[in-house]
Amino acid sequence: MSLFDADRQRMDWLVVELNRHSTLYHQKNAPEITDYAYDKLYRELEDLEARRPDLRRPESPTQRVGGDVVAELPPFVHEVPMLSLSNAFRKEAPEWGGVWEELLEWEAGKPARPGGLRKLLGDDAPPVIRYVVEPKLDGLAMELIYEDGLFVRGGTRGDGVTGEEVSHNLRTIRNLPLKLENAPPGRMSVRGEVLYDLPGFEKMNTAREAAGEKRFENPRNAAAGTMRQLDPKIAGGRPLMFFAHSAGVVPPGVKSHWELLEHFAAWGFSVNPLNRRCDGIQEVIAAISELEQRRSSLDYEIDGAVVKVDSLEEQEILGFVTRSPRWAVAFKYPPPQVQTALRSVLFSVGRTGIVTPVAQLEPVRVGGVTVSNATLHNEYQMRHVHGLREGDRVIVQRAGDVIPEVAGVVEQPGREERPYITFPATCPVCGAALDREQSDDKKRSELYFYFCSNRLGCPAQLSGAILHFGSRLCMEIDGLGDKLVDQLVSQGLVRRPSDLYRLTQEQLANLERMGKQSAVNLLKAIDTSRGRTLDRVLMALGVRHVGESTARDLARHFGTMDVLMTADVVALSAVSGIGPAVSASVAEFFAHPENLAEIAHLREVGVGFVPLPQKATGGALTGKTLVLTGTLPTLSREAAKAKIEAAGGKVSGSVSKKTDFVVAGAEAGSKLDKAQELGVAIVDEGGLLALLGEA
Ligand SMILES: [Zn+2]
């Protein structure tokens, strides 16, 4: 026997043995060998594979962690659409109320109305309809494809027709079989749910906190985030699991859903141990109630139950209505709630300056996750709905995809003697006065939001303010994205928007993910933005209530920044289209010394506050949209733009079918290609002047 054959035999044996031990450990909870012995075999296989990569088997356990980083997540097209159950019965806490009647009606139908399983099945209805009740797993729906018993690829549900392929991450899930046992069909699509193991999730959060990283609040969102990572090592280090619950196409010969689940288990999938086969609706009711009782003690999250008609023949007869099966129905449990003590309320200031009250709690487990803070949403909820007082006990609730919230307050004797918790009058971060803004929602006129008025001087708002400053409708600084802004702010390079104009190439070159060419491009984009018109600078400064058209009205009316800065509320209100809220907020903006200082700084660094050309009506380009690209021989970008706008035309940043002309100069790039592709008219500078009647 040659040396190569010996390697092959040993490697094949190790793969089979390690996979068997892994199944015993992860799925059957019945290990035969110690972790140490397992690791030793695993390392032996790793060494052999490093020496003989040609003999590495696709189902090797090393493939769970060793995969390559992928460049992107390609689309994953479902051969049979992945439908969701639109039919959901919702239990309102704490009573089931009319839910059981609805379930009985689902089977029997209502008098004198079509519908009801029994009526639809007609003569095919058995005396007792058999169902399967399963926990509704609160995870991420997936489809896995197996060919000749080997896992080949898998993807997310997406919109039901196309999801994203995440095979590299699925491979890392310990209880997801890479190779099936017991004569599986040649080709198979298996559907199920990827979930976090909650004790593992808690451990991971503890470790993250110890390392100074942010906790994950919600296992389902964290699972979705993990599965979308490009580097499979991230998923490989996390406690995820997979439960199989259905098939894209049921393999031939299978007669019932329960039988399919039994096959899944035999082929090596984890099937949920709480699935129940039920004869008749009364057993279904018992199974749903039992599941709800066990919910809080499970190691993974469920948010309800699913009931399916067991017989595949009956499923076939019942069919679908719109995009939902008639033979299945979902039950939603109310979000889990617990009581805990309120320690204090923290007022957090978001990137837009909005102040949100957050309850700091005695840590408590809700639905398997430890919660130590919960949102109170806004002042109205805190003060008027809950009437929150110091020392209160609160009811905390955690629903699937929202952050934990305070759902109520526990009434206790003597409670009314304790003082109310008050909303601050000034920004807890910078001390500036708060602006009060009424909700847009007409039905909630009592609802107000509070914002820190110190838009440019408040540290909590800085990243948001800088990002907004450089955004497309404002100063339009290409390349100034959120990751870069966060770096500039955290390294202290940018403390206010005007600091952008003082950045040097050396400073930028030292940042992460910043090559020399991108630094040059960014500095060029920053330089170009010095020539933006007054209206765009006004928007960029983030004056509350001042959007695109208001900024234009103000710029046209007052002409220059100096005149606008000194306008009082009366003068502001005289501008057509400007209401009292806007004039008050503009006047207040210019009353703030920080803001005046920043306008002076912007002047110093050469930002021009270029006056808007007066509005032209009936100009040569009225109603036309033009796109500028490349360098024109004599006109600067700003001058060309001003001429077009003076003639009533609009200048857009991107080419679309609605573009009338693309004005192309030297070194025109992708915009020119796009124009050619879409058949948009292309002119040079001479052509533009001709359009303007200046040629
Ligand atoms: Zn502030």
Side-chain angles (χ1 to χ4, degrees):
M1 190 186 283
S2 79
L3 176 68
F4 290 164
D5 284 339
D7 279 351
R8 186 193 295 274
Q9 278 190 2
R10 183 66 183 167
M11 284 167 79
D12 287 354
W13 181 83
L14 282 167
V15 167
V16 171
E17 225 12 46
L18 284 164
N19 282 343
R20 187 174 73 85
H21 287 304
S22 175
T23 306
L24 286 170
Y25 182 87
H26 289 288
Q27 270 152 277
K28 311 225 160 97
N29 219 354
E32 282 176 6
I33 58 173
T34 62
D35 289 359
Y36 176 78
Y38 180 91
D39 288 344
K40 220 173 132 195
L41 293 175
Y42 186 91
R43 274 197 301 274
E44 184 188 349
L45 178 62
E46 262 185 337
D47 291 344
L48 281 165
E49 285 180 348
R51 199 148 52 74
R52 297 298 313 276
D54 55 314
L55 296 180
R56 189 170 67 199
R57 300 180 63 112
E59 74 272 26
S60 164
T62 63
Q63 293 311 288
R64 294 192 186 277
V65 288
D68 292 330
V69 177
V70 299
E72 55 167 3
L73 304 178
F76 183 93
V77 179
H78 303 289
E79 281 161 38
V80 176
M82 275 180 95
L83 304 172
S84 51
L85 299 178
S86 65
N87 222 348
F89 297 157
R90 203 169 288 272
K91 180 188 172 185
E92 305 297 344
E95 296 304 323
W96 280 100
V99 170
W100 299 140
E101 282 92 272
E102 287 184 79
L103 182 62
L104 291 165
E105 260 168 31
W106 177 60
E107 184 185 76
K110 280 186 197 167
R113 274 177 62 180
L117 302 181
R118 214 160 257 299
K119 286 188 194 166
L120 291 163
L121 287 171
D123 293 342
D124 294 308
V128 175
I129 299 179
R130 184 170 268 184
Y131 300 94
V132 175
V133 174
E134 301 171 2
K136 192 167 174 302
L137 303 169
D138 194 12
L140 197 62
M142 287 285 169
E143 177 168 64
L144 317 177
I145 305 293
Y146 287 80
E147 283 169 9
D148 300 324
L150 290 179
F151 170 69
V152 287
R153 60 203 173 84
T156 61
R157 183 214 298 269
D159 61 7
V161 178
T162 309
E164 289 175 312
E165 184 180 338
V166 292
S167 315
H168 61 301
N169 289 328
L170 285 166
R171 264 176 217 291
T172 68
I173 299 175
R174 302 290 154 152
N175 74 338
L176 184 152
L178 298 178
K179 184 178 187 206
L180 305 181
E181 301 153 32
N182 299 319
R187 187 184 153 76
M188 192 172 44
S189 74
V190 177
R191 291 167 176 188
E193 210 83 8
V194 168
L195 299 154
Y196 262 109
D197 162 73
L198 290 179
F201 185 75
E202 275 294 303
K203 245 191 248 169
M204 178 175 83
N205 262 337
T206 310
R208 286 178 69 83
E209 273 186 319
E213 291 170 283
K214 229 179 128 213
R215 282 177 68 92
F216 293 119
E217 289 290 349
N218 177 307
R220 196 238 307 231
N221 292 353
T226 305
M227 292 313 290
R228 298 194 70 253
Q229 296 286 332
L230 300 177
D231 183 354
K233 289 197 183 58
I234 296 173
R238 292 185 179 170
L240 290 161
M241 54 186 171
F242 176 80
F243 283 117
H245 61 47
S246 52
V249 179
V250 177
V254 178
K255 296 247 178 312
S256 73
H257 182 62
W258 189 255
E259 212 182 294
L260 177 69
L261 295 174
E262 286 178 332
H263 279 301
F264 280 157
W267 291 329
F269 292 100
S270 290
V271 173
N272 196 283
L274 299 173
N275 295 341
R276 292 280 179 273
R277 198 180 205 183
C278 301
D279 286 318
I281 288 291
Q282 289 310 321
E283 285 190 29
V284 168
I285 290 175
I288 295 172
S289 307
E290 189 205 334
L291 262 182
E292 195 194 10
Q293 276 163 23
R294 301 192 54 170
R295 179 186 184 194
S296 60
S297 60
L298 298 177
D299 280 348
Y300 45 85
E301 291 205 292
I302 70 171
D303 62 355
V306 179
V307 184
K308 298 172 181 169
V309 170
D310 188 32
S311 154
L312 298 188
E313 197 190 327
E314 288 165 24
Q315 286 188 8
E316 179 101 5
I317 298 168
L318 292 165
F320 292 79
V321 58
T322 57
R323 286 164 51 81
S324 219
R326 278 207 190 87
W327 42 265
V329 66
F331 285 80
K332 290 280 242 178
Y333 299 135
Q337 292 187 332
V338 291
Q339 293 185 8
T340 189
L342 175 76
R343 283 176 171 169
S344 61
V345 175
L346 181 119
F347 294 91
S348 101
V349 186
R351 270 162 86 123
T352 58
I354 191 162
V355 181
T356 306
V358 181
Q360 308 294 295
L361 308 167
E362 201 62 50
V364 64
R365 280 178 75 81
V366 197
V369 174
T370 304
V371 168
S372 51
N373 50 59
T375 183
L376 284 152
H377 297 293
N378 49 57
E379 184 259 1
Y380 185 79
Q381 282 283 321
M382 183 188 94
R383 190 69 176 75
H384 302 282
V385 176
H386 303 316
L388 202 64
R389 292 171 188 267
E390 284 176 21
D392 267 344
R393 274 189 80 71
V394 293
I395 298 159
V396 180
Q397 112 179 353
R398 235 192 95 244
D401 40 7
V402 296
I403 51 177
E405 62 174 358
V406 172
V409 171
V410 183
E411 278 305 332
Q412 289 168 305
R415 192 180 161 245
E416 56 283 1
E417 275 139 50
R418 289 188 261 114
Y420 282 115
I421 291 178
T422 51
F423 204 84
T426 57
C427 172
V429 175
C430 73
L434 297 185
D435 284 339
R436 198 168 90 130
E437 195 171 296
Q438 193 167 21
S439 165
D440 291 339
D441 188 344
K442 294 274 183 294
K443 285 182 218 123
R444 306 181 68 194
S445 57
E446 74 288 341
L447 177 58
Y448 287 88
F449 298 106
Y450 290 81
F451 292 87
C452 167
S453 61
N454 188 5
R455 178 70 181 150
L456 298 176
C458 180
Q461 300 181 62
L462 188 52
S463 300
I466 301 289
L467 203 59
H468 172 79
F469 185 84
S471 63
R472 205 173 56 77
L473 291 177
C474 300
M475 301 303 268
E476 197 176 357
I477 302 175
D478 274 350
L480 192 68
D482 53 354
K483 294 215 170 70
L484 176 62
V485 167
D486 283 344
Q487 283 193 76
L488 292 171
V489 167
S490 66
Q491 301 202 9
L493 293 173
V494 172
R495 293 194 175 82
R496 52 178 86 85
S498 55
D499 289 345
L500 289 169
Y501 297 92
R502 300 185 201 273
L503 288 171
T504 65
Q505 202 178 315
E506 292 71 46
Q507 286 174 328
L508 291 175
N510 286 330
L511 299 175
E512 254 176 73
R513 275 181 300 227
M514 175 66 74
K516 186 166 175 244
Q517 192 53 45
S518 5
V520 170
N521 293 345
L522 179 66
L523 289 177
K524 211 160 138 196
I526 291 174
D527 184 40
T528 308
S529 76
R530 287 187 163 100
R532 299 282 176 248
T533 46
L534 176 59
D535 55 327
R536 295 176 71 177
V537 186
L538 279 178
M539 279 217 300
L541 290 171
V543 188
R544 198 167 300 289
H545 298 302
V546 175
E548 210 177 345
S549 73
T550 306
R552 216 171 294 142
D553 291 343
L554 288 169
R556 286 230 165 84
H557 185 92
F558 292 101
T560 67
M561 185 59 123
D562 289 313
V563 178
L564 174 61
M565 272 163 71
T566 51
D568 59 12
V569 176
V570 178
L572 287 162
S573 308
V575 182
S576 74
I578 306 264
V582 182
S583 41
S585 108
V586 174
E588 198 191 309
F589 181 86
F590 288 114
H592 223 290
E594 285 271 3
N595 296 336
L596 297 178
E598 177 59 4
I599 289 166
H601 289 309
L602 286 169
R603 261 201 190 126
E604 270 166 44
V605 295
V607 172
F609 309 99
V610 177
L612 270 186
Q614 287 311 299
K615 197 171 191 166
T617 46
L621 291 177
T622 302
K624 303 284 183 208
T625 301
L626 289 83
V627 171
L628 296 166
T629 178
T631 313
L632 300 178
T634 65
L635 289 172
S636 74
R637 183 70 65 95
E638 260 51 52
K641 191 173 173 201
K643 276 182 184 293
I644 292 165
E645 287 176 346
K650 207 177 117 209
V651 175
S652 162
S654 59
V655 180
S656 74
K657 277 189 215 142
K658 290 186 185 148
T659 309
D660 295 292
F661 298 99
V662 166
V663 184
E667 285 165 36
S670 61
K671 287 177 190 169
L672 184 58
D673 300 341
K674 185 89 186 276
Q676 281 163 342
E677 191 183 303
L678 294 174
V680 173
I682 299 163
V683 295
D684 58 8
E685 184 177 293
L688 172 64
L689 295 174
L691 286 172
L692 293 163
E694 294 180 17

